[in-house]
Amino acid sequence: AVSTGLMSLQLQTGIPMIFGVLTCGTEEQAAERSTGNGTHANDWGKTAVQMGLFRRSQLGAPKEKRVGFT
């Protein structure tokens, strides 16, 4: 449901989004995977920026379109 909602939001706004999920079995794993050396947060952030830059280079700047956010 979350993936479908994010896809719908991307199609409505034209703004790329990243959806990262950590699969953890323990609190220790969750802490390590979210803040430690193995975190994917930086990769997800870089990917989001690259997607936005690519979109802009292909289609131009996104139109001002807000969906329930101020």
Side-chain angles (χ1 to χ4, degrees):
V2 173
S3 296
T4 300
L6 289 174
M7 181 181 66
S8 177
L9 191 57
Q10 289 179 85
L11 292 171
Q12 289 175 28
T13 64
I15 299 171
M17 297 177 199
I18 299 294
F19 177 46
V21 177
L22 296 175
T23 304
C24 307
T26 65
E27 280 191 50
E28 291 79 19
Q29 283 179 344
E32 179 62 27
R33 293 177 186 180
S34 63
T35 61
N37 291 332
T39 184
H40 292 287
N42 291 333
D43 295 331
W44 293 335
K46 288 177 187 176
T47 300
V49 170
Q50 289 172 345
M51 287 171 57
L53 292 173
F54 180 73
R55 182 205 182 278
R56 179 172 283 188
S57 75
Q58 298 300 306
L59 303 174
K63 296 176 183 171
E64 280 297 315
K65 195 179 215 184
R66 307 225 179 222
V67 181
F69 302 103
T70 57

